[in-house]
C-alpha cells in the first residue's frame, strides 16, 4: 500500500506571479513598499501584501545599517519610487526599529473586496505607527465549540460539588 501526502510542488517557482511579467511584478512591489513607507498602513490584496512584506522588512533591515552604508542607500534608492521618502526611512523608521531584531510589519485580514473578484484583502502596517490600533478578531469567544463544551463541563462539576439536600427537607 502506498501512502501519499498532498503537497504543492513549486517546480522552481519561488514567488507568486503578480502582474503581467517580471518587470510589472517588480514595479507593483516597489509601489507597494513605497506606499507602506509613506503611509505606514495600507490596504491591499492578501497575496500582494504577503509578497511585499518580506521586501519591506529587508529594506528596514538595510536602513538600520545607516545612511552612510552604500548598500543600504542603493536598496532604498531602488525600492522607494518617491525619493523624498529616503530621508523618512533612514531618519524616522530606522531609529524606531533600531532596538527590535525583526518583524517590523503586522498584517491583518479584513473582509473580502466587494465587486467582481471578491479578493481576500489585508491591512499591512508598520509597527509603532501613529494610527489607532486595528481590532484583531478574537477567536476565543463563548460561541466556539470548545468553549461551549468547557462551559457545560464546568456547570456539571459545580452541580456535583454543590451540597445535596436530603430528599424530605424543604429548601
Amino acid at each position: 500500500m502506498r501512502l501519499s501526502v498532498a503537497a504543492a510542488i513549486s517546480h522552481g517557482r519561488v514567488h507568486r506571479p503578480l502582474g503581467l511579467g517580471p518587470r510589472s511584478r517588480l514595479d507593483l512591489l516597489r509601489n507597494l513598499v513605497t506606499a507602506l513607507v509613506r503611509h505606514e498602513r495600507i490596504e491591499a490584496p492578501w497575496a500582494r501584501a504577503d509578497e511585499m512584506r518580506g521586501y519591506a522588512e529587508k529594506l528596514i533591515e538595510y536602513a538600520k545599517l545607516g545612511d552612510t552604508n552604500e548598500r543600504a542607500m542603493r536598496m532604498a534608492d531602488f525600492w522607494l519610487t518617491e525619493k523624498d521618502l529616503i530621508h523618512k526611512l533612514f531618519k524616522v523608521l530606522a531609529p524606531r526599529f533600531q532596538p527590535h531584531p525583526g518583524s517590523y510589519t503586522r498584517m491583518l485580514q479584513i473582509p473580502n473586496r466587494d465587486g467582481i473578484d471578491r479578493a481576500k484583502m489585508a491591512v499591512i502596517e508598520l509597527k509603532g505607527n501613529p494610527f489607532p490600533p486595528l481590532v484583531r478578531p478574537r477567536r476565543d469567544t463563548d460561541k466556539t465549540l470548545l468553549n461551549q463544551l468547557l462551559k457545560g463541563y464546568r456547570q456539571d462539576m459545580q452541580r456535583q460539588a454543590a451540597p445535596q439536600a436530603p430528599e424530605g427537607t424543604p429548601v
Side-chain angles (χ1 to χ4, degrees), residues 59 72-80 83 86 89-90:
L59 180 64
M73 284 301 288
R74 278 190 294 151
M75 292 298 281
D77 188 48
F78 175 79
W79 282 104
L80 299 176
K83 301 310 174 199
I86 292 176
L89 179 68
F90 285 103

Side-chain angles (χ1 to χ4, degrees), residues 5 12 19 31 35 45 53 68-69 79 81 86 102 106 110 114-115 131 133 146 163 167:
V5 176
N31 288 335
R53 184 180 198 176
T68 57
N69 187 322
W79 282 104
T81 58
I86 292 176
R106 180 181 303 119
I110 57 175
D114 289 335
F131 302 114
L146 180 63
E167 290 281 328

Side-chain angles (χ1 to χ4, degrees), residues 52-94:
M52 178 265 299
R53 184 180 198 176
Y55 296 106
E57 297 215 358
K58 191 58 121 172
L59 180 64
I60 293 171
E61 280 289 331
Y62 277 112
K64 285 169 57 174
L65 297 175
D67 54 358
T68 57
N69 187 322
E70 185 178 337
R71 180 137 175 95
M73 284 301 288
R74 278 190 294 151
M75 292 298 281
D77 188 48
F78 175 79
W79 282 104
L80 299 176
T81 58
E82 300 171 17
K83 301 310 174 199
D84 60 323
L85 294 177
I86 292 176
H87 178 76
K88 179 179 181 180
L89 179 68
F90 285 103
K91 300 298 182 198
V92 178
L93 298 180

Side-chain angles (χ1 to χ4, degrees), residues 96-146:
R96 181 194 306 171
F97 296 117
Q98 200 65 43
H100 303 292
S103 184
Y104 312 114
T105 59
R106 180 181 303 119
M107 206 162 95
L108 298 170
Q109 185 176 353
I110 57 175
N112 291 354
R113 181 166 53 193
D114 289 335
I116 299 171
D117 61 352
R118 299 284 299 155
K120 185 177 172 183
M121 297 295 286
V123 168
I124 184 165
E125 63 182 359
L126 294 174
K127 291 181 179 176
N129 62 24
F131 302 114
L134 293 172
V135 178
R136 288 181 170 235
R138 291 199 44 124
R139 296 246 338 147
D140 200 24
T141 64
D142 291 335
K143 304 289 188 252
T144 61
L145 176 63
L146 180 63

